[in-house]
Amino acid sequence: MPVLRFKAMEEVLNRTVRKVELPSVKTSDYYGVNVFNHQKMQSYLSKEAFQEVESAVKEGKKIDRAIANQIASGMKAWAVDRGATHYTHWFQPLTGATAEKHDAFFEPTGDGGALENFQGELLVQQEPDASSFPNGGIRNTFEARGYTAWDPSSPAFVIDHTLCIPTIFVSYTGEALDYKTPLLKSNAALDNAAKKVMKFFDKDVKKVYATLGWEQEYFLVDEALFHARPDLMLTGRTLMGHASAKDQQLDDHYFGAIPERVTAFMYEFEMESLKLGIPVKTRHNEVAPNQFECAPVFEEVNLAIDHNQLVMAVMERVAQKHKFRILFHEKPFAKVNGSGKHNNWSLATDTGVNLLSPGKNPKSNLRFLAFVINSMKAVHDHSSLLRASIMSAGNEHRLGANEAPPAIISVFLGSRLNEMLKIIEESVTEKKMSPDKKTELKMDIGRIPEILLDNTDRNRTSPFAFTGNRFEFRAVGSSQNCASPMIALNSAMANQLNTFYSDVQELIEKGLKKDEAIFQVLKKYIIETKKIIYDGNGYSDEWVKEAEKRGLSNISDVPTAHAAFISKETVKLFEDLKVLSKRELEARYEIRMETYNKKIQIESRVLGDMAINHIIPTAIKYQNILIENVRGMRDLLDDKDFDRQAGLQLKTLKIISGHISNIREKVDAMITERKIANKIESELEKTHAYSKDVKPFLESIRRHIDKLEMIIDDEMWTFPKYREILFIS
Ligand code: ADP
Ligand code: MG
């Protein structure tokens, strides 16, 4: 009977590179053709309707129902021109994926004909039957309605003949059931707080918004090999597999030449993305074999998040056309690097200033330092929330595993910036400063730009690193919706800027000059938060020890980390800013726990099945061959030769038996633990049980399987091996 693994490998070796049609026009000619953007709105909408959308986007104004009809009809006309037959509200429920339900534009007219119809009310609001989306107990069964409502700040787009309208998703009682609702609220909170602070620096600023540039890492696996691995298919990661003799030791994959089949895939998904107005710009190989990265030009955070969600969907589809499967899982393969999604984050003003970019004169540098130090304080005060926002069953494998930022939240600033902070910290206040010192200080502030633009001062082991004109939140998981960390970061920053404003105001009222008041408050913040600054190697053991001495927490398991979602500080933060209510937070917390438990449960079941149905039978077959072989030796050899030669075989037999019985016993014990865990009522207790009592079996069972993989006849092994999955393309 042929082993599926060999059929799969044959299929892979016979693959041809998919031909991708090169468009005859420049990228700029097709960029955004599938987006109902500014330009298209201008030509498809009346002046009145256009202005209504504009002010909804710019000032967050509600759209008038009557005008919504005009907008809907313009949007429909454009979409039909782009070949759309259907429309859908496109939203981001707490499953982490995106959701859509398609309806056709056409409507029978009653006289045998039909016309394309799309009313304002269908654009603005819909009521999807949403009872099976996670809600964490918010939606009672008797009131299972959920609403989606248009988010005009993210433009509609056409994909696969369907007009997609980005929307928020809330319950009948108005509670958020998605990522977008709290994100938009956190954006508003940040805007308000930052605008207030900007009064100290530049009165012309009317809007401040967060910018996000994500870097998406992923693996590509051939479709046939993927299908021969139930673990990849059902859990997105390999639950077994001995390390390949060669993987990433030689660092020969990073930035290496991209294989032709992969280039064809990249080219096609980038083209599709560009048509959707997603400014994908960078592509390269990553550290692990078959691992790659793509990054766009940064955008306003809400749009950037929609684009990341969309790009992941596009990549998944295009990968299949190229007979690949894309893995967004944080740790698809043991012992080679996992995947992250770095979130480059900054604040920008409507006057075109990046607030985390060093200025050209002492005054703008004070503004720069204020925003950097406030970011630092925000991260310091809400580090547990930030960690919780990026923790998941998948990311749990990466954080603190010597390849990704540790589960200790610290901030990297770089030597120049640290020098600056030291000067501020050690400075006496302006009143007590000699004129010389004052000039020296101003000069130091003035020197920042040239020095900081030196890009070599980078740290790739810090979870939160300053990179010259932005912070890079590097600990985010590759499969995550960026909204979760961005909601946390925006809110922490908004809250911090509010505090900063009142702290400065208080000193001004006491009679201090504005700049000195700012200076003093910043100095106080530096002293309060400097324990979070770490510029050394974040992956090292010294840092773990040092962080402990500094009193920084190091939490790398989901149930403990997630407690921060419902801590007093988090509830206060989100309630004060009106981003999420206590009930909404509790619901989100429940959902995270539930998701974690289900994921570990599925992994545990899949591993159990693979071990019992594949690994043990294969091991027994091989054992029988060895037994036959020993029997034959006994017939042929004299006693002395037999003892010597069969001895080794008998030893191997024993080793195999040992692994088989270990696997059996452990699978049984794991099932028992699962049964115990499943009976636990409290979701939190259950999560602890899954994390402490079930999850460790995944590792210990796998160890035996991986050992068997090295002993058993290669021809009998049913699952594609690491060396095949990771290197064949
Ligand atoms: P690296 O791998 O060196 O960090 P990349 O070029 O891969 O650099 O990614 C850098 C990302 O940072 C890009 O997505 C880029 O658009 C983004 N970025 C640059 N400036 C900003 C900013 N002001 N705000 C947010 N993101 C930014
Ligand atoms: Mg980066």
Side-chain angles (χ1 to χ4, degrees), residues 71-87:
I71 302 170
S73 122
M75 197 186 274
K76 180 199 69 191
W78 167 77
V80 170
D81 284 352
R82 284 303 305 162
T85 53
H86 288 66
Y87 64 90

PDB file of all heavy atoms in Angstrom, residues 71-87:
ATOM      1  N   ILE A  71     -25.480  57.770  -1.305  1.00  0.00           N
ATOM      2  CA  ILE A  71     -24.139  57.160  -1.244  1.00  0.00           C
ATOM      3  C   ILE A  71     -24.219  55.696  -1.693  1.00  0.00           C
ATOM      4  O   ILE A  71     -23.413  55.234  -2.500  1.00  0.00           O
ATOM      5  CB  ILE A  71     -23.547  57.240   0.181  1.00  0.00           C
ATOM      6  CG1 ILE A  71     -23.472  58.692   0.645  1.00  0.00           C
ATOM      7  CG2 ILE A  71     -22.171  56.587   0.238  1.00  0.00           C
ATOM      8  CD1 ILE A  71     -23.125  58.871   2.111  1.00  0.00           C
ATOM      9  N   ALA A  72     -25.240  54.999  -1.178  1.00  0.00           N
ATOM     10  CA  ALA A  72     -25.405  53.584  -1.527  1.00  0.00           C
ATOM     11  C   ALA A  72     -25.555  53.427  -3.034  1.00  0.00           C
ATOM     12  O   ALA A  72     -24.960  52.527  -3.637  1.00  0.00           O
ATOM     13  CB  ALA A  72     -26.612  53.005  -0.803  1.00  0.00           C
ATOM     14  N   SER A  73     -26.318  54.308  -3.629  1.00  0.00           N
ATOM     15  CA  SER A  73     -26.568  54.130  -5.053  1.00  0.00           C
ATOM     16  C   SER A  73     -25.300  54.410  -5.861  1.00  0.00           C
ATOM     17  O   SER A  73     -25.006  53.706  -6.831  1.00  0.00           O
ATOM     18  CB  SER A  73     -27.793  54.961  -5.453  1.00  0.00           C
ATOM     19  OG  SER A  73     -27.470  55.867  -6.439  1.00  0.00           O
ATOM     20  N   GLY A  74     -24.516  55.399  -5.434  1.00  0.00           N
ATOM     21  CA  GLY A  74     -23.233  55.672  -6.102  1.00  0.00           C
ATOM     22  C   GLY A  74     -22.259  54.523  -5.928  1.00  0.00           C
ATOM     23  O   GLY A  74     -21.580  54.097  -6.867  1.00  0.00           O
ATOM     24  N   MET A  75     -22.231  53.999  -4.722  1.00  0.00           N
ATOM     25  CA  MET A  75     -21.317  52.897  -4.420  1.00  0.00           C
ATOM     26  C   MET A  75     -21.685  51.669  -5.251  1.00  0.00           C
ATOM     27  O   MET A  75     -20.828  50.977  -5.797  1.00  0.00           O
ATOM     28  CB  MET A  75     -21.401  52.573  -2.920  1.00  0.00           C
ATOM     29  CG  MET A  75     -20.256  51.762  -2.385  1.00  0.00           C
ATOM     30  SD  MET A  75     -20.530  51.281  -0.665  1.00  0.00           S
ATOM     31  CE  MET A  75     -19.927  52.674   0.248  1.00  0.00           C
ATOM     32  N   LYS A  76     -22.998  51.413  -5.345  1.00  0.00           N
ATOM     33  CA  LYS A  76     -23.470  50.270  -6.129  1.00  0.00           C
ATOM     34  C   LYS A  76     -23.089  50.443  -7.597  1.00  0.00           C
ATOM     35  O   LYS A  76     -22.579  49.510  -8.226  1.00  0.00           O
ATOM     36  CB  LYS A  76     -24.990  50.140  -5.989  1.00  0.00           C
ATOM     37  CG  LYS A  76     -25.560  48.981  -6.779  1.00  0.00           C
ATOM     38  CD  LYS A  76     -27.049  49.123  -7.006  1.00  0.00           C
ATOM     39  CE  LYS A  76     -27.322  50.269  -7.966  1.00  0.00           C
ATOM     40  NZ  LYS A  76     -28.743  50.629  -8.035  1.00  0.00           N
ATOM     41  N   ALA A  77     -23.321  51.642  -8.129  1.00  0.00           N
ATOM     42  CA  ALA A  77     -23.017  51.874  -9.540  1.00  0.00           C
ATOM     43  C   ALA A  77     -21.539  51.579  -9.810  1.00  0.00           C
ATOM     44  O   ALA A  77     -21.188  50.901 -10.781  1.00  0.00           O
ATOM     45  CB  ALA A  77     -23.340  53.323  -9.897  1.00  0.00           C
ATOM     46  N   TRP A  78     -20.680  52.053  -8.915  1.00  0.00           N
ATOM     47  CA  TRP A  78     -19.247  51.803  -9.093  1.00  0.00           C
ATOM     48  C   TRP A  78     -18.943  50.299  -9.019  1.00  0.00           C
ATOM     49  O   TRP A  78     -18.245  49.750  -9.861  1.00  0.00           O
ATOM     50  CB  TRP A  78     -18.438  52.557  -8.021  1.00  0.00           C
ATOM     51  CG  TRP A  78     -17.016  52.093  -7.972  1.00  0.00           C
ATOM     52  CD1 TRP A  78     -16.016  52.417  -8.842  1.00  0.00           C
ATOM     53  CD2 TRP A  78     -16.457  51.167  -7.021  1.00  0.00           C
ATOM     54  NE1 TRP A  78     -14.858  51.763  -8.491  1.00  0.00           N
ATOM     55  CE2 TRP A  78     -15.093  50.998  -7.383  1.00  0.00           C
ATOM     56  CE3 TRP A  78     -16.956  50.483  -5.913  1.00  0.00           C
ATOM     57  CZ2 TRP A  78     -14.241  50.150  -6.670  1.00  0.00           C
ATOM     58  CZ3 TRP A  78     -16.099  49.651  -5.203  1.00  0.00           C
ATOM     59  CH2 TRP A  78     -14.756  49.489  -5.581  1.00  0.00           C
ATOM     60  N   ALA A  79     -19.527  49.645  -8.000  1.00  0.00           N
ATOM     61  CA  ALA A  79     -19.245  48.222  -7.784  1.00  0.00           C
ATOM     62  C   ALA A  79     -19.717  47.397  -8.979  1.00  0.00           C
ATOM     63  O   ALA A  79     -19.018  46.475  -9.429  1.00  0.00           O
ATOM     64  CB  ALA A  79     -19.901  47.740  -6.496  1.00  0.00           C
ATOM     65  N   VAL A  80     -20.904  47.710  -9.498  1.00  0.00           N
ATOM     66  CA  VAL A  80     -21.428  46.969 -10.647  1.00  0.00           C
ATOM     67  C   VAL A  80     -20.506  47.194 -11.853  1.00  0.00           C
ATOM     68  O   VAL A  80     -20.178  46.257 -12.587  1.00  0.00           O
ATOM     69  CB  VAL A  80     -22.894  47.374 -10.941  1.00  0.00           C
ATOM     70  CG1 VAL A  80     -23.369  46.797 -12.267  1.00  0.00           C
ATOM     71  CG2 VAL A  80     -23.796  46.909  -9.795  1.00  0.00           C
ATOM     72  N   ASP A  81     -20.015  48.409 -12.003  1.00  0.00           N
ATOM     73  CA  ASP A  81     -19.038  48.680 -13.061  1.00  0.00           C
ATOM     74  C   ASP A  81     -17.770  47.843 -12.888  1.00  0.00           C
ATOM     75  O   ASP A  81     -17.101  47.497 -13.854  1.00  0.00           O
ATOM     76  CB  ASP A  81     -18.636  50.166 -13.071  1.00  0.00           C
ATOM     77  CG  ASP A  81     -19.724  51.046 -13.690  1.00  0.00           C
ATOM     78  OD1 ASP A  81     -20.701  50.477 -14.234  1.00  0.00           O
ATOM     79  OD2 ASP A  81     -19.603  52.284 -13.601  1.00  0.00           O
ATOM     80  N   ARG A  82     -17.426  47.522 -11.651  1.00  0.00           N
ATOM     81  CA  ARG A  82     -16.238  46.700 -11.378  1.00  0.00           C
ATOM     82  C   ARG A  82     -16.563  45.211 -11.437  1.00  0.00           C
ATOM     83  O   ARG A  82     -15.758  44.385 -11.026  1.00  0.00           O
ATOM     84  CB  ARG A  82     -15.666  46.992  -9.979  1.00  0.00           C
ATOM     85  CG  ARG A  82     -14.894  48.260  -9.789  1.00  0.00           C
ATOM     86  CD  ARG A  82     -13.710  48.488 -10.675  1.00  0.00           C
ATOM     87  NE  ARG A  82     -12.682  47.455 -10.698  1.00  0.00           N
ATOM     88  CZ  ARG A  82     -11.770  47.354 -11.661  1.00  0.00           C
ATOM     89  NH1 ARG A  82     -11.760  48.190 -12.664  1.00  0.00           N
ATOM     90  NH2 ARG A  82     -10.878  46.400 -11.614  1.00  0.00           N
ATOM     91  N   GLY A  83     -17.795  44.894 -11.848  1.00  0.00           N
ATOM     92  CA  GLY A  83     -18.164  43.481 -12.008  1.00  0.00           C
ATOM     93  C   GLY A  83     -18.790  42.850 -10.788  1.00  0.00           C
ATOM     94  O   GLY A  83     -18.942  41.621 -10.718  1.00  0.00           O
ATOM     95  N   ALA A  84     -19.171  43.638  -9.788  1.00  0.00           N
ATOM     96  CA  ALA A  84     -19.751  43.045  -8.581  1.00  0.00           C
ATOM     97  C   ALA A  84     -21.211  42.672  -8.807  1.00  0.00           C
ATOM     98  O   ALA A  84     -21.961  43.406  -9.441  1.00  0.00           O
ATOM     99  CB  ALA A  84     -19.644  44.015  -7.411  1.00  0.00           C
ATOM    100  N   THR A  85     -21.570  41.509  -8.283  1.00  0.00           N
ATOM    101  CA  THR A  85     -22.965  41.070  -8.343  1.00  0.00           C
ATOM    102  C   THR A  85     -23.572  41.019  -6.944  1.00  0.00           C
ATOM    103  O   THR A  85     -24.773  40.986  -6.778  1.00  0.00           O
ATOM    104  CB  THR A  85     -23.047  39.646  -8.932  1.00  0.00           C
ATOM    105  OG1 THR A  85     -22.151  38.806  -8.174  1.00  0.00           O
ATOM    106  CG2 THR A  85     -22.654  39.626 -10.397  1.00  0.00           C
ATOM    107  N   HIS A  86     -22.700  40.956  -5.936  1.00  0.00           N
ATOM    108  CA  HIS A  86     -23.148  40.809  -4.555  1.00  0.00           C
ATOM    109  C   HIS A  86     -22.550  41.897  -3.683  1.00  0.00           C
ATOM    110  O   HIS A  86     -21.583  42.559  -4.068  1.00  0.00           O
ATOM    111  CB  HIS A  86     -22.732  39.439  -3.996  1.00  0.00           C
ATOM    112  CG  HIS A  86     -23.509  38.302  -4.557  1.00  0.00           C
ATOM    113  ND1 HIS A  86     -23.430  37.941  -5.885  1.00  0.00           N
ATOM    114  CD2 HIS A  86     -24.385  37.450  -3.977  1.00  0.00           C
ATOM    115  CE1 HIS A  86     -24.230  36.907  -6.096  1.00  0.00           C
ATOM    116  NE2 HIS A  86     -24.828  36.592  -4.945  1.00  0.00           N
ATOM    117  N   TYR A  87     -23.084  42.030  -2.489  1.00  0.00           N
ATOM    118  CA  TYR A  87     -22.486  42.938  -1.508  1.00  0.00           C
ATOM    119  C   TYR A  87     -22.477  42.247  -0.149  1.00  0.00           C
ATOM    120  O   TYR A  87     -23.243  41.314   0.089  1.00  0.00           O
ATOM    121  CB  TYR A  87     -23.260  44.259  -1.430  1.00  0.00           C
ATOM    122  CG  TYR A  87     -24.677  44.097  -0.933  1.00  0.00           C
ATOM    123  CD1 TYR A  87     -24.966  44.179   0.436  1.00  0.00           C
ATOM    124  CD2 TYR A  87     -25.717  43.862  -1.823  1.00  0.00           C
ATOM    125  CE1 TYR A  87     -26.262  44.008   0.896  1.00  0.00           C
ATOM    126  CE2 TYR A  87     -27.010  43.690  -1.369  1.00  0.00           C
ATOM    127  CZ  TYR A  87     -27.283  43.759  -0.003  1.00  0.00           C
ATOM    128  OH  TYR A  87     -28.551  43.580   0.449  1.00  0.00           O
TER     129      TYR A  87
END
